[in-house]
Amino acid sequence: MKIVLLERNSAGTDVPVDCFSELGEVTIYPNTVTAEEVAERVKDADVIVCNKAPMREESLKDAPNVKLICELATGFDNCDLNYCKSRGIQVRNVVDYSTSMVAQHTFTLALALSQKLPYYDNYVKSGAYGAQDRFSNFDRQFFELEGKTWGIIGMGNIGRRVAQLATAFGCKVIFHSVTGKSTCTEYPQVDKDTLLAESDFLSLHCPLSDLTRNFIDREALRKMKKSAILINVARGPVVNNTDLYEALMADEIQAAGLDVIEKEPITPDNPLGKIMDSNKLIITPHLAWASVESRTRCVQGVFENIRTFMQGIDRNVVNP
């Protein structure tokens, strides 16, 4: 088996990928971006391991031996599943490897914003705290999570873990199913308008699709509480970045924490890059999933996907 890793660095160079050599002849590229690069690098491949590199007719038509594409991720929107199926190419992803870390990062963002940690950290380091004559400072108001309403869009593995943590903090959890097909019965399911109107914290954990693209737009933001905090650890285009910028600048919501944005890495024309106030907006560079443990589990998951494919066993197939 000729295995081509197109985006080895997406797992982090601190996480080894030596295990793939047990399965075949491995060719490794640090990163691959364009369809032209993909086409040149996979022309002799039996198995492709990728993350964001485009997997479609343009990049695969001259690769006659490809039998399996393994996503080094859960998402597979870089893959044309119909084309792959028409070619008999199986596509597999890795599931539930980053649930704990993404849920943890959700609360890292929410707590930092709700407790005004950037403000108070700067207050001490600027010398203002040392210059005052009292032992404490709480000039910027902050509130407890207990008794607040935590809204969730996307009640999959990550959404459920966030719901459990929010409950442990004493929050009331509600959620909205974009497809209307959720089987979750542990928490109240509400319509979109109710979710927007009642949520003190709204966290997004849904996949990107035609139903979720721009799901949080100008209209949605205006229906939220002015005190609400929005957290997006799902996919960037679920939130319209321009509309969010305008809502934050107009104080239509209190704050936002983002691990994902519409185009990554951030581009100069993304207005969110203009907001320097970390009490209003925190953006992290798509790392919510990326603890050492998560990345190690992801690599191991791809290894198992390839190994079981070679044994004729279906595992995590997304285009059956």
Side-chain angles (χ1 to χ4, degrees), residues 226-242:
K226 288 186 177 296
S227 59
I229 294 176
L230 175 70
I231 305 294
N232 186 13
V233 291
R235 288 290 182 265
V238 175
V239 176
N240 185 296
N241 285 192
T242 299

Side-chain angles (χ1 to χ4, degrees), residues 77 178-179 206-215 235 237-238:
D77 45 288
V178 177
T179 63
C206 52
L208 180 63
S209 69
D210 290 340
L211 291 174
T212 60
R213 189 178 299 274
N214 288 316
F215 194 78
R235 288 290 182 265
V238 175

Side-chain angles (χ1 to χ4, degrees), residues 63-117:
N65 301 327
V66 175
K67 307 173 185 67
L68 175 67
I69 295 172
C70 285
E71 295 282 359
L72 195 65
T74 299
F76 45 84
D77 45 288
N78 63 315
C79 260
D80 183 337
L81 297 183
N82 291 329
Y83 173 75
C84 289
K85 188 169 184 177
S86 74
R87 282 273 310 275
I89 301 172
Q90 198 174 93
V91 180
R92 299 187 177 198
N93 68 344
V94 186
V95 297
D96 205 24
Y97 67 92
S98 62
T99 297
S100 296
M101 187 61 232
V102 177
Q104 178 177 315
H105 196 69
T106 298
F107 278 85
T108 299
L109 292 171
L111 292 170
L113 290 165
S114 65
Q115 292 180 210
K116 309 295 190 297
L117 293 188

Side-chain angles (χ1 to χ4, degrees), residues 115-116 119-120 123-124 129 132 134-143:
Q115 292 180 210
K116 309 295 190 297
Y119 171 81
Y120 285 112
Y123 187 81
V124 173
Y129 178 49
Q132 71 175 40
R134 53 193 170 117
F135 77 94
S136 184
N137 182 282
F138 39 84
D139 291 346
R140 289 276 186 102
Q141 289 185 327
F142 53 92
F143 302 90

